[in-house]
Amino acid sequence: MAIEIEFKDFQKFVEFMIGCNHRFSCPENFAIAFIRPEFKEEYEKLKEVVKEALRNTDIFAEIDNNLFVILTGTDKKGADFISKAIYEFFNKSVVEVYIDFPEDGKSVEELLKNLETAVENKYGFLIGKYFRK
């Protein structure tokens, strides 16, 4: 079962993951995901499925019926397994975007900007407000 954190700490955890990589070269990569149901009434069910599907080394935070996930030791290709399982379980009514370190960015700012751009380009959702101070 994944570890749930408060959303206000999500950026700090991404920074921590990058710091561990620079100091110990471990994990070599990690993925960040944005996940939400297409229908708000399915949010609680989606949250429970995601919590159970993720490993105890994965981290997630929630805000406004959106889940933000850090998948340790996983790149976008590895995240594809989780993505397909969630997508099929919810009959294709889930919005998911995955990016990974270091392919999509090597800093917190770069990773979150690329996540923001990917979500906006794919679904039109503006998630940047969550990361602005």
Side-chain angles (χ1 to χ4, degrees):
M1 181 180 286
I3 299 168
E4 184 173 4
I5 61 169
E6 291 187 38
F7 183 78
K8 67 179 182 64
D9 296 324
F10 188 78
Q11 282 182 264
K12 292 175 189 172
F13 272 87
V14 174
E15 189 174 333
F16 173 78
M17 296 296 294
I18 292 170
C20 286
N21 176 272
H22 291 305
R23 173 123 168 114
F24 306 111
S25 297
C26 179
E28 292 180 19
N29 53 22
F30 61 91
I32 299 175
F34 169 79
I35 306 171
R36 70 179 280 176
E38 285 189 21
F39 307 105
K40 284 186 179 184
E41 56 273 4
E42 292 186 337
Y43 177 74
E44 288 301 322
K45 184 177 178 183
L46 174 64
K47 180 181 168 185
E48 287 305 312
V49 168
V50 168
K51 280 172 64 172
E52 292 298 323
L54 299 179
R55 304 162 296 186
N56 63 0
T57 56
D58 297 328
I59 299 164
F60 80 95
E62 65 176 312
I63 188 167
D64 297 338
N65 294 326
N66 300 303
L67 295 174
F68 291 86
V69 180
I70 301 172
L71 301 165
T72 58
T74 304
D75 59 13
K76 282 187 287 195
K77 291 177 186 171
D80 191 51
F81 172 77
I82 295 167
S83 175
K84 285 180 182 174
I86 292 170
Y87 196 68
E88 292 300 319
F89 187 85
F90 285 91
N91 296 317
K92 303 175 180 142
S93 64
V94 175
V95 171
E96 298 175 281
V97 174
Y98 296 84
I99 62 164
D100 68 35
F101 170 88
E103 182 180 318
D104 294 316
K106 295 183 179 170
S107 70
V108 175
E109 296 79 15
E110 195 175 16
L111 284 167
L112 295 179
K113 181 64 177 164
N114 285 333
L115 179 64
E116 178 184 342
T117 300
V119 170
E120 184 175 351
N121 289 345
K122 190 169 183 181
Y123 296 105
F125 298 131
L126 304 175
I127 63 168
K129 65 183 177 186
Y130 298 126
F131 300 112
R132 306 243 188 321
K133 294 184 179 180

